[in-house]
Amino acid sequence: MRLTLFFSILFFFSHPVLSAPLNVEVVDLIPGQVLPVTQVSESADVLIDGKLTESVWNELPVYDEFVIVMPDTLERGVYATHVRLFYTTRGFYVGYELEQPRDTLLERLSGRDLRRINRDSVHVTLDTSGQGRYGYTFGIGLGDSLMDGTVLPERQFSSDWDGPWHGRSSETESGWSAEFFIPWSTVAMPAGGETRLMGLYLSRKVAHLDERWGWPALPNSKPRFMSGLQKIELREVTPGQQYNIYPFSAITVDEIDDETRYKVGADFFWRPSSNFQLNATVNPDFGSVESDDVVINLTATETFFPEKRLFFQEGQEIFVASPRADTRGGGVGMRGPPTTLVNTRRIGGKPRSPDLAPGVTVSDRELIRPVDLYGAAKFTGQIGRFRYGLLGAFEQSVKFNAMQNGNEINLIEEGSDYGVARLLYEDNEGGAYRAVGVLSTAVLNPQEDAKTHGVDWHYLTPTGKLKVDGQAFMSDVDNVDRGYGGFVDFEYNIRQGVNQRLGIEYLDEHVDIHHLGFLSRNDRISVRSAHTRIQSNLGWARDNQFDVRGFVSQNGDGLFNGGGIMFAEKLTFNSLSSINGRVGFNAGHYDDINSLGNGVFRVEEKISFSLGYSSDTSQSFSYDLELGFDEEDLGGASYTAGLALAWRPTGRFNLSLKVNYQDRDGWLLHQEDANFTTFEAEQWQPQVSVEYFVSARQQFRVSLQWVGVKAREDEFFLVPTHPGDLIEIGKPPGPADDFAISEMVIQARYRWELAPLSDLFVVYTRAADVTRSLDDANFQRLFRDAFDEPIGNQLVVKLRYRFGS
């Protein structure tokens, strides 16, 4: 009896009550028509449950202007998509009624802002500036997983903003439905009069077809987006003051240091008017954020890690000074790391290394632990055509546990203070977008002060065919080392689906923005180009994407330090499976950074290629396979193989497994001074994650990432005194250069969203970074060592709750 009752309850909660369809009379729009949105009084009581059962929905005009934008056929979709809109003085409401056979619906729950999952979903984009200058995106997946973010001209999307809005979905007799409520107090907008214009874009993902439908018709293969949104007209929208306080408490149990730490703090949000807001945090705790990917980087070029801390994600769009600050790119070719003066991962990151007296040692663990903050504050706003932003953050002092002659001692290192100031002027008279901005940063520390100043400019023609973005900047470290740099990027849309980009960059040898920004290297003059083509409706295939990219570069001494060309192709079949291939050639050039200041040497020309296959991601089981080949710097070959599996038997459970293997012959690594060694090496990199959702608001996730490397010395080289080929030498005296590395992160997370932006987190993290000699080393031992000798092992419990208007 109890078992029968249990399964009856389980069946009830996993099979939603179906909503009945609404009356439908679709209104046809005239192209270019400004759409007046219906205003409803506050007495209209709408429960956001995704069901559209309130009478107000039946009294509204119905629109169905959707066409297929991915692939970019611009044809009508096979199912009806009915949309209703209205607003009150409190906010904006959107109701979707989505026709679709119920046996094709694809519900896949996820954490917030995971957009790459193929699932049924709907989205709303609002240009609250009304002039294509900035906007917000909101999305609901079937099953109530939420997505939101910001967008800048013309198509710079970011998921780094989370707002207190409401969205729900529900299955219906004819498909499914969704409701949005976006409070006006959630979004920024300029001061306005009685009548206000905004831009609107609506889209729908039909997962079993792997198609996206949109209104207006703005596919990625066309240059316009923000300037091409559907204009809507609203009256008497004057958001009032809003404030929110997010107090939190956190408990951290550190098993390595055998201590328990308690922390209490708060985040604050205040918007006294629609065009100004203040965000602040006091005594913040970031122990509940998701762990970074495990990466082994033995080069002189830094790895970029994206920001994952909520405070620094929100409201950052004003500090994005160019598209190069965005790590995402169009096409199927690869794109390099960003160039930006503001990389907030520097704030509260690794501490500055202390000056050590003879005989004093500090463990690697102490040198990589993040720095705590006293607090941070951010001001953003708009006055007419000017937008502005100010950011300040203040680090606490760092206490290092050190050893001296076998005795424990403490070393104190002062933290840094950070400041960012931004001013942007925008104008779109005559249909063209023009903007110019200034951006300044400062990092103040007793050891040194570092400042940067930049000017950026942007232009988009009225047709959207030509886009120009550029930035010039200078850096100043302690008023001694001053450097200058800049770039300009041109993008021209030849026709739908055919795009050409050209970038020119100059960086002198002294420019240094790494204290608060990110730059892969300085001392370079380079030109880079990218040509992309997208063709749909091939008949025998769904679409084809082709991409060719190239670059040439030299340093300030006139030495050619890089150049190559890469072709990439992705063909998607009508079955929704796809194949992709890449072929690249890099010319022989001079390497002037990996010797760490010990000279310049020449590396050989290299070719590379890869071939991959991806199955239909709408199926409960999908997979990716990839094989690759690369030549090493001095000859020799590197072979790679990758496998990714995803299993989603239900919308609430997800198991994913990724394994990458690399076999290298001739891996060139710097050792010390002017010495280099080549290695024969193997590398394994498995990654496993398991997710289960009690609902879209409660998530369990366990993930494991591990990288194991075994490398045996092969040949030995010396950097020449003048630029040229490396000089082969015999083995230098001393122990072998053989090494083995094991890096691992295990994280178990439970998150319960109690209310919008109110959460309970329980996070357990175990991290290891082990380096071993190769004596009797094997991958099984490397993996075991990562378990037995962690550098981090902690449990964090954090509760944050939102109070306010």
Side-chain angles (χ1 to χ4, degrees):
M1 179 64 182
R2 293 180 179 176
L3 190 62
T4 302
L5 179 61
F6 171 78
F7 280 110
S8 298
I9 295 172
L10 182 64
F11 180 85
F12 176 80
F13 282 105
S14 61
H15 291 75
V17 177
L18 303 183
S19 303
L22 298 170
N23 295 325
V24 174
E25 185 175 343
V26 176
V27 176
D28 292 326
L29 293 179
I30 301 172
Q33 173 186 354
V34 176
L35 179 65
V37 180
T38 302
Q39 184 176 12
V40 175
S41 70
E42 295 298 329
S43 61
D45 187 15
V46 176
L47 175 65
I48 303 301
D49 57 5
K51 296 181 179 180
L52 280 71
T53 52
E54 293 82 3
S55 60
V56 65
W57 292 114
N58 240 348
E59 301 167 359
L60 300 170
V62 180
Y63 307 101
D64 185 358
E65 299 287 324
F66 290 77
V67 297
I68 303 172
V69 295
M70 187 199 77
D72 59 344
T73 65
L74 304 186
E75 299 174 349
R76 299 284 294 186
V78 295
Y79 311 130
T81 304
H82 297 149
V83 176
R84 295 167 170 82
L85 313 169
F86 75 91
Y87 72 98
T88 68
T89 56
R90 292 180 57 243
F92 189 65
Y93 292 80
V94 180
Y96 276 92
E97 190 179 24
L98 306 142
E99 176 189 290
Q100 189 173 330
R102 294 191 59 238
D103 61 353
T104 67
L105 295 179
L106 203 56
E107 175 191 89
R108 289 176 172 174
L109 303 188
S110 74
R112 196 169 185 132
D113 294 337
L114 294 183
R115 302 173 186 273
R116 295 184 178 274
I117 299 174
N118 187 18
R119 59 184 165 193
D120 289 313
S121 61
V122 287
H123 293 260
V124 175
T125 298
L126 269 181
D127 166 22
T128 53
S129 77
Q131 298 179 317
R133 297 177 183 176
Y134 56 87
Y136 300 84
T137 66
F138 309 87
I140 304 172
L142 177 60
D144 297 344
S145 295
L146 301 184
M147 297 151 275
D148 52 13
T150 58
V151 59
L152 297 174
E154 252 315 283
R155 204 184 293 267
Q156 295 183 63
F157 288 93
S158 171
S159 298
D160 292 346
W161 175 84
D162 291 334
W165 59 280
H166 302 270
R168 290 292 188 272
S169 65
S170 176
E171 291 191 21
T172 67
E173 295 177 357
S174 58
W176 67 291
S177 59
E179 283 180 306
F180 293 77
F181 171 55
I182 304 166
W184 296 127
S185 56
T186 295
V187 297
M189 61 182 76
E194 182 179 348
T195 300
R196 184 186 295 272
L197 290 180
M198 293 188 183
L200 176 69
Y201 179 74
L202 304 175
S203 69
R204 170 188 183 182
K205 180 68 184 292
V206 184
H208 81 100
L209 300 175
D210 198 15
E211 292 180 352
R212 182 170 296 281
W213 306 348
W215 165 42
L218 298 171
N220 289 340
S221 56
K222 284 188 174 182
R224 298 180 67 196
F225 182 75
M226 285 290 285
S227 60
L229 302 188
Q230 170 66 49
K231 292 297 182 183
I232 59 175
E233 182 181 271
L234 309 99
R235 300 172 62 84
E236 300 176 356
V237 175
T238 53
Q241 176 176 261
Q242 184 199 18
Y243 69 91
N244 292 303
I245 302 174
Y246 305 87
F248 70 84
S249 61
I251 303 173
T252 301
V253 179
D254 192 321
E255 296 182 5
I256 301 297
D257 291 338
D258 192 23
E259 65 177 6
T260 300
R261 297 187 292 271
Y262 302 90
K263 178 173 281 192
V264 176
D267 297 335
F268 303 89
F269 172 87
W270 179 48
R271 191 195 299 274
S273 64
S274 64
N275 56 357
F276 174 82
Q277 74 177 50
L278 163 67
N279 297 75
T281 182
V282 176
N283 199 30
D285 175 81
F286 303 119
S288 61
V289 300
E290 184 180 356
S291 58
D292 289 317
D293 290 339
V294 175
V295 176
I296 290 180
N297 180 4
L298 302 182
T299 71
T301 304
E302 184 182 7
T303 300
F304 176 80
F305 292 101
E307 180 62 84
K308 297 183 179 181
R309 298 169 296 179
L310 183 61
F311 175 83
F312 291 111
Q313 288 180 326
E314 293 184 346
Q316 283 299 107
E317 61 274 2
I318 184 61
F319 303 110
V320 178
S322 83
R324 289 203 184 195
D326 187 357
T327 57
R328 300 169 300 176
V332 294
M334 296 181 178
R335 184 171 180 173
T339 297
T340 177
L341 300 185
V342 180
N343 173 26
T344 54
R345 283 298 296 263
R346 306 291 190 198
I347 301 173
K350 294 189 299 184
R352 291 174 178 265
S353 298
D355 293 328
L356 300 179
V360 177
T361 60
V362 177
S363 69
D364 291 340
R365 179 173 182 269
E366 292 289 312
L367 296 175
I368 64 174
R369 290 205 295 184
V371 180
D372 288 332
L373 300 182
Y374 288 115
K378 186 188 311 175
F379 304 83
T380 58
Q382 179 176 355
I383 302 175
R385 295 179 177 176
F386 289 91
R387 287 196 291 139
Y388 61 88
L390 296 170
L391 169 66
F394 312 95
E395 291 179 343
Q396 299 182 19
S397 298
V398 181
K399 183 178 73 171
F400 295 95
N401 296 318
M403 298 294 294
Q404 184 176 33
N405 300 323
N407 298 315
E408 293 186 3
I409 63 171
N410 294 132
L411 303 176
I412 304 298
E413 184 71 25
E414 293 293 328
S416 297
D417 297 334
Y418 298 84
V420 182
R422 170 73 164 155
L423 181 65
L424 179 67
Y425 173 83
E426 298 171 294
D427 172 63
N428 55 359
E429 296 247 347
Y433 175 78
R434 295 171 287 267
V436 61
V438 293
L439 178 64
S440 295
T441 72
V443 181
L444 308 180
N445 186 276
Q447 288 189 19
E448 63 180 8
D449 294 340
K451 304 179 182 68
T452 66
H453 306 284
V455 177
D456 54 279
W457 56 93
H458 314 273
Y459 177 72
L460 179 73
T461 60
T463 62
K465 292 185 73 67
L466 176 63
K467 182 172 181 283
V468 182
D469 296 282
Q471 186 177 29
F473 47 85
M474 63 88 67
S475 65
D476 185 343
V477 180
D478 272 345
N479 296 316
V480 177
D481 293 327
R482 293 186 176 180
Y484 300 87
F487 56 84
V488 60
D489 295 323
F490 303 89
E491 185 170 345
Y492 183 71
N493 182 259
I494 300 171
R495 62 177 184 274
Q496 180 178 329
V498 183
N499 210 54
Q500 176 66 46
R501 295 196 294 272
L502 176 69
I504 303 170
E505 179 180 57
Y506 169 79
L507 303 165
D508 74 14
E509 63 178 327
H510 298 294
V511 66
D512 182 1
I513 65 175
H514 84 277
H515 295 82
L516 185 52
F518 190 93
L519 182 65
S520 59
R521 62 157 298 159
N522 58 9
D523 191 18
R524 177 172 63 188
I525 304 170
S526 66
V527 177
R528 62 189 192 186
S529 174
H531 181 84
T532 59
R533 289 176 176 262
I534 302 174
Q535 187 176 3
S536 303
N537 262 351
L538 300 176
W540 57 277
R542 194 186 79 158
D543 61 73
N544 182 71
Q545 299 180 56
F546 173 76
D547 192 317
V548 57
R549 301 181 183 223
F551 76 100
V552 291
S553 174
Q554 73 172 33
N555 64 17
D557 294 329
L559 294 176
F560 178 71
N561 62 358
I565 188 169
M566 186 184 74
F567 300 88
E569 175 88 12
K570 181 180 180 182
L571 179 66
T572 302
F573 300 102
N574 293 323
S575 64
L576 302 185
S577 61
S578 63
I579 58 173
N580 62 83
R582 295 187 179 95
V583 177
F585 170 79
N586 281 281
H589 61 275
Y590 290 96
D591 187 324
D592 56 353
I593 61 173
N594 279 306
S595 70
L596 303 181
N598 290 287
V600 178
F601 60 94
R602 184 172 176 81
V603 299
E604 303 296 328
E605 62 185 35
K606 300 185 288 185
I607 62 171
S608 62
F609 69 83
S610 65
L611 182 65
Y613 174 83
S614 299
S615 68
D616 177 7
T617 57
S618 69
Q619 301 300 309
S620 59
F621 177 77
S622 61
Y623 61 93
D624 296 276
L625 296 169
E626 187 169 31
L627 299 174
F629 166 82
D630 294 90
E631 288 187 307
E632 296 285 356
D633 288 336
L634 301 183
S638 172
Y639 299 93
T640 58
L643 171 66
L645 307 175
W647 183 45
R648 294 179 179 271
T650 72
R652 299 172 183 269
F653 179 83
N654 173 38
L655 169 65
S656 66
L657 168 66
K658 297 180 181 178
V659 180
N660 291 300
Y661 172 75
Q662 188 171 17
D663 186 350
R664 308 187 70 166
D665 180 10
W667 186 15
L668 182 67
L669 292 176
H670 178 252
Q671 299 303 299
E672 71 285 318
D673 300 329
N675 292 291
F676 276 80
T677 301
T678 60
F679 294 86
E680 296 178 353
E682 288 182 274
Q683 177 173 314
W684 283 95
Q685 188 169 357
Q687 181 176 338
V688 182
S689 69
V690 179
E691 292 180 293
Y692 177 72
F693 293 83
V694 180
S695 69
R697 305 294 176 260
Q698 289 191 68
Q699 173 195 16
F700 294 94
R701 185 175 191 267
V702 179
S703 63
L704 181 148
Q705 299 180 65
W706 180 67
V707 179
V709 176
K710 292 196 308 180
R712 296 189 179 278
E713 63 183 17
D714 186 15
E715 297 179 313
F716 307 91
F717 298 90
L718 194 66
V719 178
T721 55
H722 300 287
D725 294 334
L726 287 171
I727 302 169
E728 186 171 1
I729 60 174
K731 176 177 172 51
D737 293 333
D738 300 349
F739 66 92
I741 295 177
S742 179
E743 291 193 7
M744 182 192 69
V745 172
I746 300 175
Q747 189 171 74
R749 291 167 54 89
Y750 169 72
R751 177 178 180 265
W752 182 12
E753 184 178 341
L754 307 171
L757 301 186
S758 300
D759 310 277
L760 170 66
F761 286 97
V762 180
V763 182
Y764 173 77
T765 304
R766 187 181 182 95
D769 185 353
V770 181
T771 302
R772 286 281 183 268
S773 69
L774 272 187
D775 297 339
D776 300 323
N778 53 52
F779 282 109
Q780 182 179 2
R781 178 180 173 187
L782 284 175
F783 191 70
R784 186 179 67 248
D785 288 343
F787 272 97
D788 294 341
E789 302 180 32
I791 61 170
N793 194 7
Q794 66 179 24
L795 173 68
V796 178
V797 180
K798 180 177 179 180
L799 174 64
R800 184 184 74 154
Y801 201 85
R802 171 177 171 258
F803 298 92
S805 58

